[in-house]
Each structure stands twice: as C-alpha cells, then as structure tokens.
Amino acid sequence: MPTVPAVPPQPRPPAPAGRPGQPRRTAFAEGAERLRAAATTEPGRLRIIGAVLALLVVAFGAVTAWQTTDRAAAADDVLHSSQPLSSDAADIYRSLADANTAASSGFLAGGQETAAARDRYEKDISTAAAKLVTAAAASDPGSPSEAAISKLNKLLPEYKGLVERARTYNRQGYPVGGAYLRYANDKMQSEMLPAAEDLYKKENNKLRSDYGNATPYPWAAIALGVLVLAALAWAQHRNYRRTNRVLNHGLVGATAFATVVLLWLVVGHSIARAGLNDSYDHGVRSLNVLHDARIASLKARGNENLSLVARGAETITVGDTTYDAFYYDFDKDMKALGKGLTEAERLADDQVGSKPVKAAEGNMTVWKQRHASARTEDENGNYQQALDKVIGAKGATGECFDSVDDNLKTAIAHEQAEFGQAAGDGRDAMTGLPIGAAVLAVLGAAGALLGIGRRLSEYR
C-alpha cells in the first residue's frame, strides 16, 4: 500500500493589528478601552470609585496646604516685615523733620547753642541714618523703595554739612548763617521730606499688599472640600443601596477627616481674617493718622522757628539759586494737625488710646494762643520778647510742642501694641493648618481606599 507523504505544518498567520487600513491604537486608547471594560463589572467600578475618591481627598489637602501656607506667610510679613518697615519709614520722616526743628531751635538760641538742642539734633540724625540702614537691608534690589532710600542716603550728609556751616557762621555772629540754615531747610522740605514721604507711601503700599494676600478666603480649597464631602456621601449612599449596609468604616473615616480639614480651614481662616482686619482697622489706620499728625506738628514747629530765623538774614547763592526768603506755613500745618487729632480720636477704640489724643488737642489749643501772642510781639518789633515766647524756658510755644509730641508718642505706642496683638492673633489662628491639612488628607485618602478595598474583598 503506497505511503502518503506527510504535509508539513503551515505557520499560523499573525493576528491582525486592527482593521485593514487602520493604524494601531495608541496606549491611551487601549487604556480607555480597558477602563470601559472594567467599568462594566462591579469590582472594576469600585476600583475606579476608590481611585477617584483618594485623588480628590489628596487634592483637597494639597490645595488647602498651599493656600493656607501663602496666607500664613503673608500674615507673618504683615506682623514682622511690612508693618515694622512702614513704621520705620514714618520714623525716618519724623526724625528728619525733628532734626530740622532742633537745628532751627538751636540756631535761635544764638552763638551759645544749648546742649539739649544739639543732643536732640544729633539723636534725630542718628535715628534717621540707622532706620535707613534697616530699610536698605530689608528692601529688594530694584524694589520701589530702593530709589527713595538711595536718595535719602545721598542727601543726608549734604544737609548735615549745610547745618554745620550755618552753626559756624552763627557762632561768629554772621547773619549769613541764617541763609545757610534756610537753604538747609529748603533741602529738607523740598527734597528730603518728600523722599521720606515717598518711602513711607511705598512701604504702606507693601503693607496693604500683604494684607490683600493674607485675608481673602481660600475659595478653591473650600470648594474642593465641599466636592470631596459630596463625593464621599454619594459613595456611601451607593454602597448602602447595593449592600443594605448603613456604614462603611473606611468611607466614614475618610468623611470625618475631610470634615475636620474643611471646618478647620473655614473657622481658622475666619478667625485669622477677623484678627488681621481688626489689626488694620484699629491699628494701622490709627497709626497712619497719628504719624501724620506728629509730622504736621513737627513741620509747624519748624516753620514757627524759621519765621524768626529769617528775620533780617542776608541772602546766599548756592549753584544757580539764591535763597533769602522763607515761606511761612504755620497755619496750614496746624490745620493738618487739628484734622489729624480729630480723626485719631474718632478711630481710638478705648480710653487708653483716646486720652493722649485729647491731651494733645488741649496742648495744640494753648500752642496756637501762645503763637499768636509771639507773632504780635514780633510784628510790633519786639523780637526778643517774641523769641522768649517761642523758645523760652517757661510759658513758651516749645512747651506746647513738646507736650503734643509726647502725647502723640504715647498714643502711637498704644496703637502699635494693639496692632501687634490683633495681627499676632490672626497669624496664630492659621498655625499648624497647612501641615495638619496635609496629614489628615493622607489619612482620609487611606480611609477611602480601605473602605473600597473591603467591598472588593467580597468578590474574591
């Protein structure tokens, strides 16, 4: 019987990669296909639900930590950086204006300048120089404050040189010393004090910016927290419908952790916001008004002194400019002082804050009366009597000015303490919130995964 030759096995053709003429699907498309296939079974749906819940809880914790960290940092800047720098800028202005006043008071005393006037001038100049060093160290290169600080650092030695030259001529009995002092005053009034005021305004703008960063509600974190709680509630309701079990311990734990974070976020930030707003309304606003009032009193005193210095002085030419007259603006500065004291009394929220302001108002009233008497003496040609009423040992306008300045200093110290207390409380209300939110979010995500894992184990 003939044998039939064996047919060698034919290789199996490769499986088609897809439909003829169609490119191979991407990894994303294949992943989406597997996800759709998994979603057709209950275990697959549970895995998807668990992953989404864990992702939402972690995202909630991350956004909460991020937004509260930014706000806590801004609140700390308000307390330890921008407000102290704003106060330093006000002190620079005050020190420069007071140095100008002390220089004119010493000049009026004649060749024998009093040690008290000299010491006050030197102390003010030293304070301004030290505060400028602090401001320069705290300002960033290219910041808005840098130009004003550089200008003041350049002008301060020039001003000191003019004052020393005026003193030298005054000790020798030369009237030209008055012209030099008026030129120094002009430099102070037209260049230095505007630069100091510009620095003060820029630091206040930085302070307002920090408040603006610290106080807004973290709406993104709050909205995400509400979404997380809604998703967890839906998952537990779904679990109840399918299993008739009221509680899933993992999902309940995740809900508890998310609720704690959301409540901590809302309550903590609300307390912080209230403290910071209080520090601005009853601290910063009062401080700004009091600083302005104190500066107005200093300018009024300087103008009062220089109106007597200008009497009979000769001219002096510096560069292309000749100085021989003094613009007397006492009344304008006293109006600014009165307006500032009225506003400061309105803003004061307790007796301790309003008492020194009221005392300053009384001092101002007496000051204006004594000033009018001194002006009458000067206009009648009684220069020495007018001088005694301005810089005399007793009953002079200088006593009123010193009392106004001391009372304003007391009021500023009180408002500064109130600001520090309120701002510190606001900052402390957010202490631990970023780290706590992150830790609780991780625990909540773990609870959600454990709860879903418990359901998955029933299908094995």
Side-chain angles (χ1 to χ4, degrees), residues 85-131:
L85 285 175
S86 176
S87 292
D88 284 346
D91 284 341
I92 290 171
Y93 194 116
R94 187 206 63 79
S95 297
L96 292 174
D98 193 53
N100 202 44
T101 299
S104 61
S105 296
F107 192 91
L108 285 173
Q112 299 299 321
E113 181 181 13
T114 64
R118 179 74 181 187
D119 290 344
R120 183 168 183 168
Y121 169 81
E122 294 294 346
K123 181 180 178 181
D124 286 330
I125 292 295
S126 298
T127 299
K131 296 290 186 181

Side-chain angles (χ1 to χ4, degrees), residues 130-183:
K131 296 290 186 181
L132 283 171
V133 171
T134 302
S139 64
D140 298 326
S143 65
S145 300
E146 186 183 33
I149 295 171
S150 298
K151 183 176 182 179
L152 286 170
N153 279 324
K154 175 178 177 294
L155 291 173
L156 188 58
E158 297 178 6
Y159 172 81
K160 290 175 62 180
L162 289 169
V163 170
E164 291 305 320
R165 187 171 297 181
R167 283 174 170 158
T168 299
Y169 284 121
N170 188 44
R171 284 193 297 268
Q172 296 173 359
Y174 295 146
V176 72
Y180 271 105
L181 188 64
R182 292 200 309 279
Y183 176 47

